[in-house]
Amino acid sequence: MEIKGVNALVTGASSGIGKAIAIELVENGAQVWGTSQEPGRIEWQTGVKPLKLRLDRPDYVDEAWESQSMDLIGFDIIVNNAGYGVFGRYEEVPFEVWEKQIQALLTGTMKLCRLALPGLIERRGCLVNVSSIAADFPVPFMSAYNVSKAGLSAFTESVIIETNASGMRTIDFRPGDMKTGFNRNMVRNLGKNVNEGCMGKVWKRIEDRSTRSPEAMMVAKKLIKCIQRDKSGTIRAGTFFQATLAPLLSRLVTRNLVRSGNIAYYTK
Ligand SMILES: NC(=O)c1ccc[n+]([C@@H]2O[C@H](COP(=O)([O-])OP(=O)(O)OC[C@H]3O[C@@H](n4cnc5c(N)ncnc54)[C@H](OP(=O)(O)O)[C@@H]3O)[C@@H](O)[C@H]2O)c1
């Protein structure tokens, strides 16, 4: 796909991975719209046109789509990137918090796809849903995040199959750990003893890994190349270990072994 001159929408473009993708799209000559829940408080990159979007209820998505006439823009590329995490013991965190997490990452994102797909199919465009390595390797104490990302990957696979003959491309994009504001913005401290025992160890592991992670621009550049090369399907990005080796090894051994390795990695 030639990116120069196309219309692109990036959700969650105010920081991190979404911001890096928006910058790369602008650099490559696209007209870019980026979303934030509060676009007025963001210093937007040159060339990114702000839109307001909250994903945590499907009717918010409908409202944002209609009130900002997003259908009339005619997007050729849509990158569903916006999201956040909740860290806590499943039985201790209020159910409404988990529910909201799933609404934002999965149901809200599916709603946006529902609104955008007719236009994308008509223009033979490209849909990117940003899932995560968590769809392959669930992160302890992030149950609703794992559910949402695994569900989003399954949803994206369904879209790939359903639109196969249409000429549009769809990418299930699964980054590994990236150095962004993701951990800082994580909803946590809602249960007991979040910094102690097993939960403390897991959180420390997540934090340590994040500080050694690649910058968001690395995955943004990879994604743009994939869009330019008309790729469809699952694309992993990040360090060689997370994007290539771990997914490959996990296919060669039993599920029990993968699970034991995952538990040992986080808690030993
Ligand atoms: N960082 C990682 O290691 C990593 C790894 C794999 C996958 N991911 C995924 O990559 C995506 C981007 O994460 P990031 O690391 O770039 O985090 P980030 O820096 O915290 O950026 C998150 C973006 O999502 C927006 N957002 C958050 N909650 C939202 C909501 N309820 N409704 C609408 N927009 C919302 C934020 O915008 P406002 O606050 O301005 O609204 C922000 O632009 C997420 O889907 C995340 O799950 C991240």
Side-chain angles (χ1 to χ4, degrees):
M1 176 187 238
E2 173 64 72
I3 288 182
K4 196 167 192 294
V6 303
N7 292 337
L9 172 69
V10 182
T11 70
S14 62
S15 66
I17 296 173
K19 183 175 178 178
I21 292 171
I23 291 171
E24 269 303 289
L25 285 165
V26 170
E27 295 269 301
N28 281 275
Q31 307 273 356
V32 181
W33 283 259
T35 79
S36 163
Q37 297 170 93
E38 292 178 65
R41 69 169 176 82
I42 308 296
E43 221 172 279
W44 292 93
Q45 294 293 311
T46 312
V48 179
K49 295 175 257 304
L51 291 170
K52 185 178 166 78
L53 177 70
R54 272 186 67 180
L55 285 170
D56 37 10
R57 269 184 30 194
D59 51 324
Y60 290 161
V61 181
D62 281 311
E63 208 275 319
W65 187 263
E66 275 159 37
S67 66
Q68 297 170 108
S69 307
M70 287 162 81
D71 213 21
L72 299 180
I73 296 172
F75 296 116
D76 305 285
I77 297 173
I78 295 189
V79 182
N80 281 309
N81 158 82
Y84 68 96
V86 178
F87 182 87
R89 207 176 279 282
Y90 181 65
E91 66 278 19
E92 289 179 358
V93 173
F95 189 69
E96 300 69 48
V97 176
W98 295 130
E99 219 174 6
K100 195 171 163 189
Q101 164 91 110
I102 294 173
Q103 292 279 359
L105 290 183
L106 182 58
T107 328
T109 302
M110 285 175 68
K111 189 59 194 272
L112 189 63
C113 292
R114 173 79 179 72
L115 295 165
L117 265 170
L120 281 177
I121 291 170
E122 194 185 309
R123 283 185 291 283
R124 299 163 77 89
C126 179
L127 172 69
V128 180
N129 287 334
V130 179
S131 177
S132 165
I133 190 173
D136 296 309
F137 303 98
V139 185
F141 305 115
M142 292 187 67
S143 50
Y145 185 80
N146 299 328
V147 166
S148 305
K149 292 302 189 182
L152 184 62
S153 285
F155 169 69
T156 308
E157 186 64 24
S158 309
V159 174
I160 294 170
I161 296 166
E162 285 183 30
T163 60
N164 181 45
S166 73
M168 74 165 271
R169 268 88 57 209
T170 305
I171 295 174
D172 170 20
F173 194 56
R174 300 190 193 180
D177 291 300
M178 292 296 131
K179 210 179 282 169
T180 67
F182 186 81
N183 287 1
R184 200 174 50 246
N185 296 332
M186 190 96 77
V187 176
R188 57 195 289 265
N189 295 322
L190 291 173
K192 290 177 249 160
N193 308 325
V194 286
N195 292 315
E196 284 156 33
C198 186
M199 282 183 85
K201 279 186 187 168
V202 172
W203 181 251
K204 189 171 178 313
R205 177 64 91 179
I206 292 173
E207 283 279 71
D208 287 350
R209 215 170 51 192
S210 168
T211 54
R212 286 182 281 108
S213 298
E215 301 290 337
M217 194 48 87
M218 176 211 193
V219 289
K221 284 186 185 296
K222 176 159 184 179
L223 178 63
I224 301 307
K225 278 207 181 85
C226 291
I227 295 173
Q228 285 168 327
R229 292 174 188 165
D230 290 334
K231 299 256 189 209
S232 246
T234 302
I235 290 166
R236 295 179 174 83
T239 61
F240 176 70
F241 179 74
Q242 290 194 336
T244 309
L245 201 57
L248 180 69
L249 289 177
S250 73
R251 264 178 250 135
L252 303 176
V253 298
T254 64
R255 191 67 211 159
N256 278 347
L257 204 57
V258 174
R259 186 179 304 114
S260 303
N262 204 22
I263 293 171
Y265 169 76
Y266 278 106
T267 55
K268 293 283 168 331

